[in-house]
Amino acid sequence: MSLFKARDWWSTVLGEKEEFDQGCLCLADVDNSGNGQDKIIVGSFMGYLRIFNPHPVKMGDGAQPEDLLLEVHLREPILQVEVGKFVSGTEMLHLAVLHSRKLCVYAVSGTLGNVEHGNQYQITLMYEHHLQRTACSMTYGPFGGVKVVQRRCHVTKQFVNTMCLDQDYLLQLSSWLLKTKFPYNEICRDLICIQSVDGMLMVFEQESFAFGRFLPGSLLPGPLVYSPRTDSFITVSSCRQVESYKYQVLAFATDADKRQETEQQKLGSGKRLIVDWTLNIGEQALDICIVSFSPSASSLFVLGERNLFCLKDNGQIRFMKKLDCSPSCFLPYCSVSEGTVNTLIGNHSSMLQIYQDVTLKWATQLPHVPVAVRVGSLHDLKGVVVTLSDEGHLQCSYLGTDPSLFQAPVIESRELNYDELDVEMKELQKFIKDFKSQGVWPTTEKEDDLEVSVTVSPNFDSVSQATDVELGTDLVPSITVKVMLQNRVVLQKAKLSIYVQPPLVLTCDQFTFEFMEPEMTSTVSFSVYLRRSYTPSELEGNAIVSYTRPTDRNPDGIPRVIQCRFRLPLKLVCLPDQPSKTASHKLTIDTNKSPVSLLSLFPGFANQTEDDQVNVLGFRFLGGSHVTLLASKTSQRYRIQSEQFEDLWLITNELILRLQEHFEKQGTKDFTCSFSGSLPLQEYFELIDQHFELRINGEKLEELLAERAVQFRAIQRRLLTRFKDKTPAPLQHLDTLLDGTYKQNSCYLSD
């Protein structure tokens, strides 16, 4: 082993084809165990949240099942995970998970287990905030030096909670409590600030929303960090300059980017959002971090595309280091030498470099390119370097030059008895032959517990079960799906959950069973129908059964999960239609086999009887869009065309699945489908332009509506003055102008 390779202490690969970024890794004692040991929290863009507590038997071991404390699928992409004091009234650590449109705060707890699986961990949702804007990143801290002073008055027997944003007022309050000799304690808490994609900072005071402010001139979001010492937010804007904003300036400022003035702004209340200081670094920033030497000194580190910057609290450059390789992540931390800072920098050459200020102290090779790096204490081992790649390679390693202590064992020289070896070989061959002659291989224990089968009815329901549909005049059909469960042993708390892709809807998606005796059979049925006008991403459903199996050592049962997939018919979402010869969007699929008749692939949609029409089919979705499928007579190609680009996917996917099933029935194993055309990026860009145009038109309509509303109120005031006048005066067509303004406002609101 090379001396300059990171020594592997523990490693694993997370999921399959999942993606990760720098905000997806966090180290903290998230379960509040109190033993000083960190847990590894990892979130992925596929929505999986995992918590690890590595316990390798020997150095370099892979992940064991008991190392994974918790794995939960949250169904939404996880952008960032952080651990802090996010719940009011307690100083326990909680887990904050940032999704694109939601912020969730969980409590992680564990219960002692008495089976070989060990302890059981679960998360409990404490609160969540639904975001009106798409989130990008978040930071947390005691914004404004916030603390909660909790005192108990022995006379009134009541608790009084006082929240203070001003540090001077907090000191006065604490002094008064000491003079009155009332017992109290300070509870520190962390507030959360979320940065949206369009440059808005949203501050949440734990369970409640505080305020939101737009950063001036924001175009693209950059890295964001909070400095407790200066009580300010520091970010790097798209103008390639570091900007610092005081928290109190943000709290008392008004939105300067609003197009319309409110009545309060006219009266002069509120302040304009002003930056505290700026520094132009001339490049985009990858990450930003604060390191505190002491309560009176701290440094701001900014990782650029080519350089590393260290700044003082006032924005002056402390030092700058030009990097040799393109960096991917970094982590600064206090050095053992007073006044210096060590920085871990990972780059795209799979190297991890350690700098002390501007001096390179160590460089080590990693097996992957890290996108996030953390340092923590794991299993009584301090200073473990935890790295995460964008493909999910999670590794815990340490630095050093200790050589490998493996020595090849001395081969024992002895004479071989070939007669004994022949006898042993014959016995083993006889045992294998007898075992194969039984004809039954042992099945897994999970398959013996419960058997799940799903049956989809080939016909529609005689009476449609569709309710609250939004499909216009089309009659929406429904189809019945039956799920049968048969247990082999006694099971407890069996719960069946059914999942289908929206806008497909189930009449019932949760069922509960109790299998008190072996060999019981339970059957449930439900209906599936299309509720809205757009097409689902796929027609595949999933039936998942979670249950517990009691054992001698654990009467409460060991939790287990089994699932069964099923496919819904295509006729549930579309109807046969006349094919169209022209279309705006076309897609050609190439195959390596002769074309198959579309009458045999789509028997429920083929109503043509003429020979010249067997290679053309038309589909009409219940939402109203049309799709045409053509099969070439001479080449091995199929073409799907439609007026809307997004409608091509479902028919294309259904065609590929049915072709694969057709050739599998014929015993053909080398069938392949390919697409040789260019990527349809133009259609994607058109959708972006259309969305941008709608946003611009929406802003224009808001401006016009605001102007007409001011005009409407002014006309009302003049009419009221005319009506109150003792001497009647002509209205001068004010009533006509009022009626016209009202109609214009109604038109703008409908648009």
Side-chain angles (χ1 to χ4, degrees):
M1 176 179 291
S2 173
L3 298 180
F4 293 92
K5 285 186 178 179
R7 299 302 301 267
D8 187 9
W9 182 69
W10 178 88
S11 61
T12 184
V13 179
L14 306 178
E16 182 178 357
K17 296 182 179 180
E18 296 187 40
E19 295 183 3
F20 303 83
D21 205 352
Q22 62 182 7
C24 297
L25 178 63
C26 180
L27 266 67
D29 187 15
V30 68
D31 59 342
N32 298 280
S33 60
N35 55 7
Q37 303 299 318
D38 294 329
K39 312 298 185 300
I40 304 176
I41 305 105
V42 184
S44 71
F45 289 163
M46 297 296 291
Y48 286 95
L49 177 66
R50 300 178 177 92
I51 301 178
F52 292 92
N53 186 17
H55 291 82
V57 179
K58 59 181 180 179
M59 300 302 177
D61 277 356
Q64 301 297 323
E66 57 270 15
D67 294 341
L68 180 60
L69 303 183
L70 180 69
E71 181 176 2
V72 182
H73 188 203
L74 301 181
R75 300 188 181 182
E76 295 184 26
I78 299 176
L79 305 182
Q80 191 172 347
V81 290
E82 296 291 349
V83 175
K85 301 173 183 179
F86 301 132
V87 177
S88 59
T90 178
E91 291 196 353
M92 304 290 285
L93 297 179
H94 291 78
L95 175 63
V97 180
L98 179 64
H99 303 284
S100 57
R101 284 282 183 170
K102 186 169 60 174
L103 170 67
C104 300
V105 175
Y106 298 95
V108 180
S109 59
T111 57
L112 296 177
N114 53 0
V115 296
E116 65 274 9
H117 299 292
N119 302 337
Q120 297 180 5
Y121 287 79
Q122 60 272 350
I123 59 174
T124 304
L125 179 64
M126 305 303 294
Y127 62 88
E128 64 180 4
H129 294 288
H130 292 275
L131 307 178
Q132 299 298 324
R133 299 179 180 274
T134 304
C136 175
S137 62
M138 69 174 175
T139 185
Y140 69 95
F143 304 160
V146 64
K147 292 183 180 180
V148 174
V149 177
Q150 187 182 65
R151 64 185 177 89
R152 180 179 179 89
C153 180
H154 295 283
V155 179
T156 60
K157 303 295 184 182
Q158 294 178 350
F159 281 98
V160 180
N161 292 328
T162 306
M163 185 177 68
C164 174
L165 294 178
D166 190 0
Q167 192 71 18
D168 296 335
Y169 180 73
L170 179 63
L171 294 176
Q172 295 177 8
L173 177 62
S174 302
S175 176
W176 178 80
L177 291 174
L178 289 174
K179 291 179 181 179
T180 54
K181 299 181 180 180
F182 287 160
Y184 71 97
N185 57 339
E186 293 181 354
I187 299 178
C188 299
R189 63 174 184 170
D190 292 325
L191 278 62
I192 299 176
C193 177
I194 298 177
Q195 180 181 207
S196 65
V197 175
D198 54 356
M200 184 179 185
L201 298 184
M202 297 170 284
V203 178
F204 295 89
E205 292 185 357
Q206 297 182 341
E207 291 86 352
S208 60
F209 173 74
F211 59 86
R213 298 289 182 266
F214 279 101
L215 296 180
S218 176
L219 180 62
L220 294 174
L224 177 69
V225 71
Y226 171 73
S227 176
R229 184 175 178 274
T230 60
D231 191 25
S232 58
F233 294 99
I234 303 172
T235 184
V236 180
S237 66
S238 54
C239 299
R240 299 183 176 182
Q241 61 182 9
V242 185
E243 300 176 352
S244 175
Y245 298 89
K246 290 288 187 180
Y247 174 75
Q248 291 192 357
V249 175
L250 288 171
F252 293 103
T254 54
D255 291 338
D257 290 345
K258 276 207 167 187
R259 303 292 180 91
Q260 59 183 16
E261 290 186 350
T262 62
E263 297 295 334
Q264 291 182 349
Q265 288 175 326
K266 291 181 179 180
L267 296 176
S269 64
K271 299 180 180 179
R272 185 181 178 185
L273 182 57
I274 301 176
V275 63
D276 186 26
W277 56 262
T278 61
L279 175 66
N280 193 341
I281 60 175
E283 59 182 312
Q284 296 293 340
L286 303 180
D287 200 359
I288 188 170
C289 188
I290 297 284
V291 176
S292 298
F293 303 100
S294 63
S296 60
S298 63
S299 293
L300 171 66
F301 284 81
V302 180
L303 180 64
E305 296 175 331
R306 297 174 298 274
N307 300 279
L308 174 66
F309 302 89
C310 179
L311 312 179
K312 298 180 181 179
D313 293 333
N314 57 0
Q316 297 179 357
I317 295 181
R318 183 166 170 246
F319 63 82
M320 170 183 169
K321 174 64 178 177
K322 183 175 178 61
L323 303 176
D324 298 331
C325 300
S326 176
S328 59
C329 62
F330 86 133
L331 177 68
Y333 60 94
C334 293
S335 174
V336 293
S337 301
E338 184 176 357
T340 61
V341 176
N342 287 354
T343 308
L344 297 174
I345 300 180
N347 56 40
H348 289 279
S349 300
S350 301
M351 294 288 294
L352 185 66
Q353 298 174 327
I354 297 89
Y355 287 88
Q356 187 177 58
D357 289 346
V358 296
T359 306
L360 180 63
K361 291 294 185 178
W362 195 262
T364 182
Q365 184 74 36
L366 294 175
H368 55 260
V369 177
V371 296
V373 57
R374 300 290 185 271
V375 175
S377 177
L378 302 174
H379 195 53
D380 297 329
L381 183 61
K382 297 182 179 180
V384 178
V385 180
V386 182
T387 55
L388 176 67
S389 72
D390 58 347
E391 296 180 351
H393 295 274
L394 180 65
Q395 179 178 356
C396 299
S397 56
Y398 61 93
L399 308 178
T401 59
D402 51 334
S404 177
L405 301 179
F406 173 77
Q407 295 181 356
V410 180
I411 301 176
E412 183 181 357
S413 59
R414 61 184 180 89
E415 296 182 359
L416 298 178
N417 191 338
Y418 291 99
D419 296 334
E420 294 180 358
L421 293 177
D422 291 339
V423 173
E424 184 179 359
M425 178 63 72
K426 291 180 181 179
E427 291 178 355
L428 293 175
Q429 290 178 348
K430 183 177 182 301
F431 176 78
I432 295 174
K433 184 178 179 181
D434 294 340
F435 187 76
K436 287 184 176 181
S437 63
Q438 297 177 4
V440 178
W441 291 89
T443 58
T444 60
E445 190 177 0
K446 185 182 295 185
E447 295 175 353
D448 290 340
D449 292 346
L450 184 66
E451 181 180 353
V452 182
S453 60
V454 181
T455 304
V456 180
S457 175
N459 301 320
F460 291 143
D461 298 337
S462 57
V463 178
S464 178
Q465 303 296 320
T467 57
D468 299 332
V469 295
E470 303 174 4
L471 293 176
T473 59
D474 286 336
L475 180 61
V476 180
S478 63
I479 199 167
T480 301
V481 180
K482 293 183 180 180
V483 181
M484 186 178 66
L485 290 79
Q486 185 176 4
N487 65 311
R488 302 288 188 266
V489 295
V490 177
L491 304 178
Q492 298 176 355
K493 302 177 183 179
K495 182 179 180 181
L496 171 64
S497 301
I498 313 297
Y499 300 94
V500 293
Q501 294 293 331
L504 294 173
V505 180
L506 305 171
T507 55
C508 184
D509 59 353
Q510 300 285 341
F511 301 92
T512 305
F513 306 92
E514 287 291 340
F515 296 105
M516 304 305 296
E517 297 180 359
E519 301 298 335
M520 292 180 61
T521 302
S522 298
T523 304
V524 295
S525 60
F526 52 89
S527 297
V528 188
Y529 62 92
L530 189 71
R531 173 169 289 180
R532 296 187 178 179
S533 58
Y534 61 93
T535 58
S537 59
E538 60 179 356
L539 296 176
E540 190 176 76
N542 197 5
I544 301 177
V545 183
S546 60
Y547 60 92
T548 58
R549 178 180 177 180
T551 60
D552 296 337
R553 298 180 59 186
N554 188 4
D556 294 335
I558 301 174
R560 289 183 176 177
V561 177
I562 188 172
Q563 63 177 351
C564 179
R565 297 184 179 272
F566 59 93
R567 280 177 57 189
L568 297 171
L570 181 63
K571 62 182 180 180
L572 185 63
V573 298
C574 66
L575 303 172
D577 192 28
Q578 292 296 328
S580 176
K581 295 183 179 179
T582 59
S584 301
H585 304 280
K586 299 178 182 180
L587 187 68
T588 302
I589 302 298
D590 298 327
T591 64
N592 60 345
K593 299 295 179 183
S594 301
V596 183
S597 173
L598 298 182
L599 295 176
S600 59
L601 290 178
F602 298 89
F605 294 86
N607 51 7
Q608 296 91 347
T609 57
E610 301 179 4
D611 294 338
D612 58 343
Q613 294 293 328
V614 295
N615 63 331
V616 181
L617 286 181
F619 304 88
R620 183 177 69 86
F621 291 106
L622 295 182
S625 55
H626 301 265
V627 179
T628 302
L629 174 61
L630 301 93
S632 177
K633 295 181 180 180
T634 57
S635 61
Q636 303 169 356
R637 294 182 176 180
Y638 300 87
R639 172 171 292 179
I640 305 96
Q641 58 187 23
S642 176
E643 292 295 333
Q644 297 182 1
F645 180 71
E646 58 270 17
D647 294 331
L648 298 176
W649 160 246
L650 190 61
I651 301 300
T652 303
N653 186 42
E654 194 71 19
L655 173 65
I656 295 175
L657 291 176
R658 298 196 179 197
L659 285 174
Q660 291 175 349
E661 292 178 354
H662 174 78
F663 287 106
E664 284 179 1
K665 291 180 181 179
Q666 294 183 351
T668 305
K669 297 182 179 180
D670 58 344
F671 171 74
T672 57
C673 294
S674 60
F675 174 70
S676 58
S678 59
L679 292 177
L681 295 179
Q682 183 62 32
E683 289 79 2
Y684 178 70
F685 294 149
E686 289 177 358
L687 290 176
I688 296 179
D689 295 338
Q690 182 181 2
H691 177 75
F692 179 74
E693 184 178 357
L694 291 175
R695 293 285 295 270
I696 296 297
N697 293 335
E699 291 183 359
K700 292 181 179 178
L701 288 176
E702 287 183 359
E703 294 178 1
L704 291 175
L705 183 61
E707 294 177 358
R708 295 297 182 268
V710 173
Q711 178 180 333
F712 188 79
R713 288 192 294 269
I715 297 172
Q716 283 182 328
R717 287 194 296 267
R718 290 195 176 186
L719 282 175
L720 185 61
T721 303
R722 294 290 178 92
F723 289 147
K724 287 183 178 181
D725 195 359
K726 293 182 179 180
T727 59
L731 298 179
Q732 297 180 350
H733 303 288
L734 288 177
D735 54 343
T736 305
L737 187 59
L738 181 68
D739 183 65
T741 305
Y742 175 76
K743 291 181 179 179
Q744 286 182 350
N745 288 341
S746 301
C747 181
Y748 293 150
L749 288 174
S750 62
D751 293 340

